[in-house]
Amino acid sequence: DRADFLPSDTDIDAKVAELEELVAMQAQQGAEQESGADEFSVGPQPDAPDPAEKAIAEYRASIEASVGMTKYREMLGAESSFEKVFLPFPSVATGEPVWDLADGPTPEDDPKPDWMPQVTWNALGKDDNGKTLRQFVKKSAASGDPIPAFFKGQIIRTIRQGLVDELGIDWFFDTTLPDDVFVRLGARSAEHSEVAAEAARSALAEGTGSEQAVAQAELAARAAADAVRDVPTDEMWYLVSNMVADADVELVMRELLTLRGMQWVLSQAGRWMQPDEMREAYDEHRASYDGTLFPLRAIIMFKGYDSVDRYREHYRYRKSYEAWRSETMTEEELEDHYRAGGRHFFERGKVVVDLAFEGTQGQPFEQASFEQAKAKLMASLGRIGETLGEGDDVREYSFDDVMAEHPKMPVRTPQGDDRTFQRNPLRIRITESELSIFLQGYSMIDDLFYNGQRGEIFGPYAETCRRHVWGAEINAGVWVARVKNYVRGRPLAPLEGSNELQAKDDFLSQNYLYWSQECLKLILPRVKPAGTESSDG
């Protein structure tokens, strides 16, 4: 009965409590680590706020500032329904035997518990990590202990990914689809079913199969083929239409035009990767992270992507460009990048900066809010040098006053030194990422890190990208940075071995971002109003 899988308010309350428990646990662990790292620590201060309560309050505030609690509860309700269908955890201990991972990898004939759906068992059995999680679930069911929130999130994500892999999702950027189709569902499942049907027919021809097996396999193949569905863009639009602001529209248009420009240039040069070529390159790229401390999903989050599919879409452009540019890159160019343009980065250098931030919290996520925040910072910057006070207290208004009037963003405030950064941590500090830099066409951090001088002020810079890992309304605002100093981390090592590989990677990455903006400039004159024919057909 479908009603059995619908979430109740009690189910959703339990999900909220589960997540808040996880937030509190992480906050408490962070506080304990910070206290333990301080040799002069005298323990918790009586007036200090409880770290768990503070973290939960910030967690709730971040929800209200982004999607709102009502919408968030709807999302949790969907998660609850998913768990009821695909992880119907037993209400009492099963006492079933569980393989001890200390004895080695899970055997191939490890039995599936009766309470676990076959599709869930299969989804968790696609790799060693999934099989380990599968044993963890079995152990919890056997003992009757609930699955801790931290592990449950990982388990649910693995189940979802396994189901998606089995079903098959073809996006508009992965394969050739009708112009009005956003995504195709079920093609991979249909292919697998047809392969199984062909195997059944071959077995019958060889005398090892049966007509009944062929009939069943062909019936399953026809059902899978009939289930393949093209989802039009119009059916997806309503999910996001009420959440798109003018600031989003500008970035979306920049992205679409930039991608179109890059594809046009690459196609003209004969370097645009075809779908089959792209799949092979991406599979090789993904496999290179298997078994490492940092799986690809973690790497793409660091780059700013919260979707593997969106990362894969952009990877096609980057890989096509890098394969093309690598052939023309000279030793002199690489040497110049290593010893001149990128020298400070390769010396493990740091920059000492003062930061000021004017947020847009409480304001609509739109260009007018950013312009208002920018105007406030500009007004403060315009006062630098203004005389303040009287008599012996006379002084000039300085950047320190700007920082006092516009304190740093409270969200994601790091522990320890909040002024001295290497390049990538400073990007994260002001919510820049590889994705946001690509979308906005500029990196204030790269600019000040590579091109700045002591005392130089950069900004105001509006961070308008919220559709990436570090972005959200609660992080949105305008930044200003003053360069205090540059600190060299080590002498520049010889350009060889791993240093040469890193230099090539950074050279291609920096040039890719610059080249993408040149492609945008190139395509703009070719853009025609709707209903007219473009100049390239």
Side-chain angles (χ1 to χ4, degrees):
D1 189 344
R2 181 174 180 273
D4 293 338
F5 303 109
L6 295 178
S8 65
D9 286 340
T10 302
D11 294 328
I12 298 174
D13 289 341
K15 290 292 295 182
V16 172
E18 187 177 273
L19 292 172
E20 289 186 349
E21 177 187 348
L22 176 60
V23 169
M25 179 189 70
Q26 292 174 333
Q28 193 64 48
Q29 289 176 344
E32 291 172 357
Q33 290 173 358
E34 181 183 357
S35 176
D38 185 356
E39 61 179 313
F40 301 107
S41 174
V42 293
Q45 300 300 309
D47 298 331
D50 180 83
E53 292 181 0
K54 180 182 177 184
I56 290 174
E58 291 178 350
Y59 167 70
R60 292 172 179 169
S62 69
I63 294 171
E64 293 291 0
S66 53
V67 298
M69 186 58 73
T70 300
K71 183 66 176 178
Y72 187 67
R73 286 180 64 86
E74 291 179 9
M75 295 164 60
L76 293 182
E79 288 193 13
S80 178
S81 293
F82 182 90
E83 291 179 23
K84 288 185 176 185
V85 174
F86 295 104
L87 195 62
F89 205 69
S91 57
V92 296
T94 64
E96 61 191 299
V98 180
W99 177 262
D100 189 345
L101 293 173
D103 295 334
T106 307
E108 291 298 325
D109 60 351
D110 185 48
K112 179 187 78 67
D114 293 338
W115 61 267
M116 183 181 290
Q118 185 67 51
V119 290
T120 301
W121 180 260
N122 295 343
L124 288 173
K126 294 186 176 297
D127 55 33
D128 291 340
N129 179 62
K131 291 177 181 178
T132 298
L133 293 176
R134 200 163 63 180
Q135 293 305 308
F136 188 86
V137 173
K138 289 179 64 176
K139 185 176 181 180
S140 295
S143 65
D145 297 327
I147 302 173
F150 175 79
F151 290 107
K152 180 181 280 189
Q154 186 179 3
I155 291 165
I156 293 298
R157 286 192 297 271
T158 304
I159 293 173
R160 280 184 173 142
Q161 188 59 51
L163 293 172
V164 167
D165 290 344
E166 184 65 27
L167 174 67
I169 296 181
D170 295 316
W171 301 93
F172 66 92
F173 52 80
D174 270 335
T175 190
T176 302
L177 297 175
D179 290 342
D180 63 336
V181 173
F182 185 74
V183 64
R184 175 172 290 161
L185 305 177
R188 189 174 306 154
S189 178
E191 291 173 3
H192 291 170
S193 297
E194 181 54 40
V195 169
E198 182 59 34
R201 288 190 287 266
S202 297
L204 178 63
E206 295 170 359
T208 58
S210 67
E211 292 184 356
Q212 181 181 5
V214 171
Q216 291 176 340
E218 289 181 340
L219 179 63
R222 286 195 297 272
D226 291 341
V228 175
R229 180 167 180 256
D230 285 352
V231 182
T233 303
D234 289 345
E235 288 189 19
M236 304 294 292
W237 176 243
Y238 83 95
L239 295 172
V240 298
S241 59
N242 64 335
M243 298 188 295
V244 178
D246 61 352
D248 297 318
V249 171
E250 180 175 331
L251 287 185
V252 168
M253 292 303 299
R254 280 187 63 94
E255 179 179 5
L256 292 176
L257 290 172
T258 301
L259 294 178
R260 182 67 184 91
M262 290 194 294
Q263 182 179 350
W264 185 81
V265 173
L266 289 165
S267 296
Q268 292 295 309
R271 305 312 298 256
W272 177 238
M273 296 180 70
Q274 297 306 304
D276 290 345
E277 185 183 7
M278 162 57 190
R279 290 191 189 95
E280 182 178 347
Y282 184 78
D283 287 344
E284 181 179 338
H285 173 62
R286 181 177 56 188
S288 68
Y289 290 94
D290 290 347
T292 67
L293 291 175
F294 300 100
L296 182 58
R297 183 174 291 275
I299 295 296
I300 70 168
M301 288 183 65
F302 176 74
K303 293 176 179 290
Y305 293 85
D306 56 6
S307 163
V308 173
D309 296 306
R310 192 178 191 193
Y311 172 78
R312 191 176 69 254
E313 177 191 11
H314 284 190
Y315 181 79
R316 183 178 184 181
Y317 293 85
R318 179 182 285 272
K319 186 65 176 179
S320 296
Y321 169 78
E322 290 182 352
W324 180 31
R325 187 65 176 88
S326 294
E327 295 179 1
T328 61
M329 180 177 61
T330 66
E331 293 182 3
E332 291 75 16
E333 284 181 314
L334 186 61
E335 187 83 22
D336 183 65
H337 178 68
Y338 187 69
R339 300 193 180 281
R343 184 185 187 99
H344 192 54
F345 176 71
F346 297 115
E347 290 176 336
R348 303 292 189 269
K350 297 180 180 180
V351 59
V352 183
V353 293
D354 289 330
L355 297 171
F357 175 76
E358 180 64 34
T360 60
Q361 292 93 329
Q363 301 296 321
F365 191 89
E366 58 188 23
Q367 289 293 354
S369 300
F370 290 102
E371 292 302 323
Q372 182 179 359
K374 188 179 294 185
K376 290 180 180 179
L377 272 170
M378 287 296 293
S380 296
L381 291 173
R383 294 185 61 193
I384 292 179
E386 178 183 317
T387 301
L388 300 177
E390 297 179 354
D392 294 338
D393 295 328
V394 170
R395 66 179 183 85
E396 288 188 349
Y397 186 94
S398 69
F399 194 85
D400 292 337
D401 296 296
V402 176
M403 291 192 295
E405 293 180 6
H406 308 275
K408 294 185 290 292
M409 179 178 64
V411 180
R412 300 188 187 280
T413 300
Q415 303 294 333
D417 186 358
D418 195 24
R419 298 179 65 215
T420 305
F421 296 89
Q422 290 185 320
R423 184 192 67 183
N424 290 337
L426 185 54
R427 280 181 175 178
I428 294 174
R429 181 66 183 92
I430 75 162
T431 69
E432 276 190 4
S433 69
E434 181 181 292
L435 176 59
S436 72
I437 294 169
F438 173 75
L439 296 180
Q440 298 191 143
Y442 175 72
S443 168
M444 185 178 79
I445 299 311
D446 284 3
D447 199 1
L448 70 84
F449 194 86
Y450 292 119
N451 306 317
Q453 302 293 327
R454 291 181 180 86
E456 188 172 358
I457 294 175
F458 288 79
Y461 163 73
E463 175 54 78
T464 61
C465 181
R466 59 174 172 167
R467 306 299 182 191
H468 71 126
V469 167
W470 311 117
E473 285 85 342
I474 198 168
N475 298 337
V478 179
W479 289 88
V480 171
R482 176 179 63 175
V483 177
K484 295 282 287 184
N485 196 14
Y486 291 94
V487 181
R488 188 173 72 165
R490 69 175 190 184
L492 193 65
L495 181 58
E496 59 187 23
S498 61
N499 293 324
E500 183 175 6
L501 292 176
Q502 185 184 36
K504 287 180 179 178
D505 182 70
D506 193 66
F507 174 86
L508 291 172
S509 180
Q510 294 291 322
N511 278 271
Y512 171 74
L513 294 172
Y514 171 78
W515 172 78
S516 69
Q517 299 311 303
E518 293 301 303
C519 290
L520 174 60
K521 296 175 185 176
L522 183 65
I523 200 66
L524 284 176
R526 308 176 67 87
V527 176
K528 302 294 182 181
T532 64
E533 185 177 353
S534 65
S535 59
D536 63 350

